[in-house]
Amino acid sequence: MTQPFRLPTAGRLDAAGTVSFTFDGKAHAGLAGDTLASALLANGVHLVGRSFKYHRPRGILSAGAEEPNALVGIHRDPARKTPNVRATVQELYDGLAAVSQNRWPSLAFDVGALNDLGAPFFSAGFYYKTFMWPRAAWERLYEPVIRRAAGLGTAPDQPDPDRYSNRFAHCDVLVVGGGAAGLAAALAASEAGARVILADEQAEPGGSLRFEDGAFIDGKPGWEWAQQTAAQLAARDNVRLLTRTTGFGYYAQNMLGLVECLTDHLAAPDPEAPRERLWQVRAKRVVLATGAIERHMVFPDNDRPGIMLASAARAYLNHFGVAVGRRVAVYTADDSAYAAAIDLKEKGVEIAALVDLRPAPQGAHVDEARALGIEVLAGHAVTGTEGRLRVHRVNVAPVNGGAPRRIEADALVTSSGWTPAVHLFSQSRGKLAFNEATQRFLPGQYVQDAVSVGAGNGTTGLGEAIAEALQAGGKAAKEAGVSKARAKVPNLEAGSTERWSSGMAGAAPGAEAGRKAMAFVDFQNDVTAKDIRQAVQEGMRSIEHVKRFTTTGMATDQGKTSNLHALTIASEMLGKPIPEVGLTTFRPPYTPVTFGALVGHGRGALFEPTRRTPIHAWAEAHGAVFEDVGQWKRAWYFPSGGEDMHAAVARECRTVRQSAGIFDASTLGKIEVVGPDAARFMELMYTNPWQKLAVGRCRYGIMLREDGFIYDDGVVGRLAEDRFHVTTTTGGAPRVLHHMEDYLQTEFPDLKVWLTSTSEQWATIAVQGPKSRDIVAPLVEGIDLSDEAMPHMSVREGRVCGVPARLFRISFTGERGFEINVPADYGLSVWEAVWAEGGKHGACAYGTETMHVLRAEKGFIIVGQDTDGTVTPDDAGLAWAIGRKKTDFVGIRGLKRPDLTAPGRRQLVGLKTFDPKTVLEEGAQIVADPNQPVPMKMIGFVTSSYWSENCGRSIALALVENGSHRMGERLHVPMEDGAIEVEVVPTVFFDEKGERTNG
Amino acid sequence: MLLIHCPYCEEERPELEFRHAGEAHIARPENIAEIADEAFQRYFFIRANPKGVTFERWRHIHGCGRFFNAARDTVSDRFLMTYRVGEPKPDLRKIDRK
Amino acid sequence: MAEIARRMSALEGRAYEGPGIALTPDPPASRLSLRAPEASLSALSKALGLTLPDKPKTAAADGSRAALWLGPDEWLVIDEECADLAALCASVSALHSAVDISHRNTAILVTGERAEDVLGAGCPQDLSPTRFPVGAASRTVFGKAEIVLWRIGEEAFRIECWRSFSDYVFSLLEKAAREA
């Protein structure tokens, strides 16, 4: 395997570090330190992809993050197929497998290229205009076909096996960009003692020093200085140097998002290591040293493989030691491209011609080029190119008329000038200012504590950029309040032979208005100069409209190389100066960010906390099936001996009512309300009266919102005059506490009472059923369990299994029942003791499903299931729980609202199906007349529905209009296969007289 | 992610520790049980929702737990100031809107 | 009489040690959620044997006992020798609320030179020594869980979180710790 375009005398890579890789299955060799792009070019491969819309052959345009064309898929394994990777930033590793995209059946022969022949029809707005009619065809025909044809690359069809990481970080000075200016700024800031983070997107900092061979800093070649400085910075305790790290977003209050790539460059990454890390950095000061991006020339057929940016050709030559062609032509409208011609020529590459659009370029660079024997064609334009899969000929003509020339060349490097990378500055909401002299947008007014330096700030000379960055770094440290700011700003001598001039933007000759040429502005979205003009002709006036109509700048590269061209062409068409037309908004991310990086650790088991009770392990060991209740895992039912859910729940329901059942109620919310005003506060928060509740007694409380609707419920025990043990629903615990704190802190701040969540202090074990007292009794110390001493709805403090306990005599099943609360770490042990006692009485463990059925048999509501935020206590049959003599509680006024007192509201009722075996579906709608035309008038819906083993039939609860006045009425539940007839009945299905709580 | 100055913790803390809690300076009527429907409507349902400076309640729920008030510009999404519960509504003219 | 119940901590058997980082569940401690107005502080301080701190983000420690300022009228009192803190406060007549939360919380010690970095995986506060010095304590978040964070040494933090969140908190810490 040879690398025919690798030059032995150029570049910085070690010729011994051979690395093999494949592109579309073909094996190639590259060198360690290569990017995929440089390695492909070393092998003479320019054709790497097909364009998005016209499927035109495309090559490598750039050598960096701005790349619009060279997007490939990197396939590590079946689950690790990353589409749309820019070959120019993908570091080469041994065994790398890349595939081209957007072509079928092959890159060289692509059927989709037929689109190119139809290009006259596919102009801007084509989709909007063409697929309008017939309307129905959009969904069935157009969209599926377009979707199949469009898109870039293919997404993997397996879950992402990689890990991702997150870090919050804080620093005095964040420097984004590790080129000459960024390094200098970081140097100065860190020397002043500031905590500095320096982020650079490349593996090695240095920025454009990578190709600017004429740069000298501190007496050293620029690149050498950059590497030494980076090492020096990395060694400092107060500096965090992040390489392969892109600052992609600038958010409020100096928070920036950075993505650090950790493993994409490795041949065999540690599977435990994260692939990427998201840094959420809060910086006191930000130094933006983001550099500038070279623009291509907009001329006919400027998109053939082999046509690339002049600076990219220099990077491939000077850093990677790769010649982009054997005979290279140069097309420029500025000075900087001369260096490409000179560098190439000096390394032995033939320069076919240097075409300069300007009539009379002058200066040392021009003289030097000529002296090297390069033919400089001043006042000439490239009017077209030839070559199917790679450029092989460049057509040149004098701008002011004259004989055209056809020049043989296997590469054409172009430059129309440099666009400062102001993306992050703009994202920070800073205002850009248009510089007339240099025709550039530069950072203008800052809104955040940031400063731009170097090429990104429009500072073009190396010496000036270094001086500016050193000053800015030192100043940023000082402004960040670093005390050691006595430190002198370091001084660095820097100079360069590099040349810069402002260049041009917009269409070059041959691509002017009226020409049919395919002169591409935006390569990735296949937008030509003609498309931009057409958008204006068709009435688009705002650049935002032009952008959306043509999709210019809307591809994944966000128009880094193209936006200024598009803007210039639009402004010419509109006859308005550029600043009046304005730029489109820069939005994060600067370069594409994976979802993985944004998600970070938050996937799988860490997606959100999974909360388990102290008794969870026991339930798991005893075969429980769990259900998710909010973040909690709750035992749903305990199948035994091959039972299905139905059989297990039926057995559990029977057992509880025949002997006893044991239930883990630890997830119930618990709030301790303590203070001399505790009862007064409870009066305000709940509808019930509390002042007269005796110590040691419990009451079922209902909490409303101010609008009068039920918000939560639960049993409350009074432990002392000034102490209540409040329980809430499992899901309601946090919001009930928040709601109570809200009133306490902001409406009733004078009340002497405090609230403490004790949800997790206590493990709660419910023992329910006729045998419950027999089971509990042997474990309890110091509490008289007789009905006289401890009647239903009471609470006692004592000891259970030798540990402090709060024992409630309460029932959510209608049976005699206890709830044992013990400190959570004892929960499992106490449960095991209760279980052992239960075994003597034939008790079972039961889960939430049985709990639901048993409470429904008794007509007890579950807030959130039988209520939906529009149900009043009266609607739920709970009007008795409102303290009629009370003059205030939250919701007292809401209850008097006309709608809430109007007759005919939906009220909670029981439903019995005529066929006792039919179990209704929860959520099913209820109608009075099943034979009415559709849409039927719905008068209610089923809120709870179960098979009741104890009743020997199905039971249901429902909210039905005027339900409490419909007892005995027949209603209907229309389902897909016919209406189910039901009878309206009271909500209590079992033990109507409520005798079993003492049974 | 914003930084929000908690007037009880006396420093700026990350937004993740806070929860928004609706418009500020809406006092629950003392005699709420007696007020007319229109008064209840104004108290419970009607909110200013201005474009520009708004006064709103926040709670440092994952910090000191305190509710407090804030003046925030809904256009710039900047917090202009925060202050403790019970302190009077600040004079808009004296707030630096930057 | 039944056997005395055994205590089982939520993080039984969990621990992690890697280069520059150790994650260690702390043994059971007694804890009190103490709420009181300013006027009660001296009486309560006396009863508890340490001065309740009144500055935000601070803690006071004395031997096995510490009080962390959580809010203007709220302290988390911890005693690593499991003293009955509620009983100490019971004798105080000055206005206050003392609620035993010994079992509600569980503690994880995060120690080593990478402690700050590992905590940065989920805690958005600036934990550098200038902003979060030794002795600083604050309720905050770690990932999607609420925690109380207390810096007990240059390279040592104590995390207090609710029992059922401890698995999540420990797992996230461990995930971050493993990314050396």
Side-chain angles (χ1 to χ4, degrees), chain A residues 72-89:
Chain A
V72 299
I74 302 291
H75 294 183
R76 267 189 198 272
D77 58 46
R80 290 180 175 86
K81 291 182 177 178
T82 311
N84 303 324
V85 175
R86 287 154 293 158
T88 51
V89 300

Side-chain angles (χ1 to χ4, degrees), chain A residues 381-467:
Chain A
V382 174
T383 55
T385 63
E386 293 169 45
R388 194 173 78 86
L389 300 177
R390 169 134 180 216
V391 65
H392 68 74
R393 192 173 294 128
V394 178
N395 299 325
V396 175
V399 175
N400 295 326
R405 271 176 61 182
R406 303 174 82 198
I407 299 171
E408 304 295 318
D410 61 355
L412 171 61
V413 305
T414 83
S415 177
S416 67
W418 294 79
T419 311
V422 293
H423 304 69
L424 290 178
F425 168 80
S426 178
Q427 286 178 27
S428 80
R429 298 189 177 187
K431 297 272 174 294
L432 292 166
F434 190 71
N435 183 301
E436 286 291 344
T438 56
Q439 295 285 296
R440 296 181 295 183
F441 281 100
L442 297 175
Q445 197 189 336
Y446 288 83
V447 176
Q448 302 209 38
D449 293 323
V451 62
S452 298
V453 296
N457 194 38
T459 309
T460 45
L462 181 65
E464 291 91 321
I466 294 266

Side-chain angles (χ1 to χ4, degrees), chain A residues 281-303:
Chain A
V281 180
R282 182 81 64 179
K284 287 185 188 153
R285 289 291 182 281
V286 174
V287 177
L288 296 170
T290 45
I293 294 168
E294 195 172 25
R295 294 186 304 274
H296 59 281
M297 293 286 283
V298 179
F299 59 93
D301 292 329
N302 61 342
D303 65 330

Side-chain angles (χ1 to χ4, degrees), chain A residues 593-803:
Chain A
V593 175
T594 63
F595 283 113
L598 298 177
V599 166
H601 298 105
R603 55 188 303 216
L606 293 176
F607 173 64
E608 68 169 353
T610 301
R611 304 174 69 183
R612 296 180 183 87
T613 76
I615 296 151
H616 184 92
W618 186 94
E620 208 166 28
H622 287 75
V625 176
F626 291 90
E627 71 165 335
D628 292 337
V629 181
Q631 293 175 323
W632 287 102
K633 291 278 177 204
R634 298 196 73 180
W636 195 12
Y637 57 96
F638 288 83
S640 83
E643 283 175 327
D644 62 6
M645 179 175 177
H646 180 81
V649 172
R651 173 182 50 77
E652 290 171 17
C653 285
R654 259 194 328 265
T655 309
V656 173
R657 297 216 189 277
Q658 282 168 8
S659 57
I662 308 169
F663 175 69
D664 180 4
S666 303
T667 63
L668 276 186
K670 303 165 201 84
I671 298 166
E672 202 139 312
V673 178
V674 182
D677 292 329
R680 281 184 64 198
F681 180 66
M682 290 297 292
E683 292 267 324
L684 288 163
M685 297 314 298
Y686 285 82
T687 61
N688 320 62
W690 300 96
Q691 298 278 19
K692 288 184 183 159
L693 181 70
V695 170
R697 297 308 305 266
C698 302
R699 185 162 283 166
Y700 168 73
I702 294 180
M703 172 179 277
L704 306 182
R705 295 196 333 170
E706 205 70 83
D707 56 13
F709 295 128
I710 295 175
Y711 189 54
D712 202 70
D713 69 349
V715 170
V716 178
R718 190 166 198 172
L719 299 169
E721 282 299 321
D722 63 351
R723 190 175 292 251
F724 288 82
H725 177 116
V726 174
T727 66
T728 74
T729 55
T730 293
R735 63 179 161 80
V736 167
L737 184 61
H738 180 66
H739 174 83
M740 289 168 89
E741 280 287 352
D742 189 349
Y743 278 95
L744 179 56
Q745 289 184 34
T746 68
E747 296 294 351
F748 315 125
D750 295 333
L751 293 185
K752 295 178 177 64
V753 60
W754 287 275
L755 314 170
T756 306
S757 172
T758 50
S759 299
E760 297 217 40
Q761 166 67 13
W762 303 103
T764 306
I765 302 163
V767 186
Q768 300 279 313
K771 302 286 186 192
S772 56
R773 182 162 56 189
D774 301 333
I775 293 167
V776 170
L779 308 174
V780 174
E781 276 173 79
I783 302 172
D784 183 346
L785 298 179
S786 68
D787 285 342
E788 298 71 44
M790 192 177 181
H792 179 55
M793 295 303 269
S794 54
V795 57
R796 297 289 180 270
E797 290 182 274
R799 297 183 95 78
V800 173
C801 297
V803 299

Side-chain angles (χ1 to χ4, degrees), chain A residues 168 252-253 255 282 429 447 705-707 738 741-743 745-748 887-890 892-894 896-898, chain B residues 1-3 12 16 19 26-28 32-33 35-37 40 43-45 57 59 61 65-67 75-76 78 85:
Chain A
F168 292 101
Q253 289 168 296
M255 197 179 108
R282 182 81 64 179
R429 298 189 177 187
V447 176
R705 295 196 333 170
E706 205 70 83
D707 56 13
H738 180 66
E741 280 287 352
D742 189 349
Y743 278 95
Q745 289 184 34
T746 68
E747 296 294 351
F748 315 125
T887 55
D888 198 4
F889 58 82
V890 172
I892 192 169
R893 180 59 187 79
K896 296 181 190 167
R897 291 193 287 146
Chain B
M1 181 171 52
L2 298 173
L3 287 173
E12 287 190 323
L16 291 174
R19 181 181 295 177
I26 297 172
R28 186 172 184 268
I32 190 164
I35 60 174
D37 283 342
F40 182 74
Y43 159 64
F44 189 71
F45 293 108
R57 305 182 328 134
R59 185 180 178 205
I61 187 164
R66 298 295 92 191
F67 282 83
V75 177
S76 66
R78 273 172 183 275
V85 164

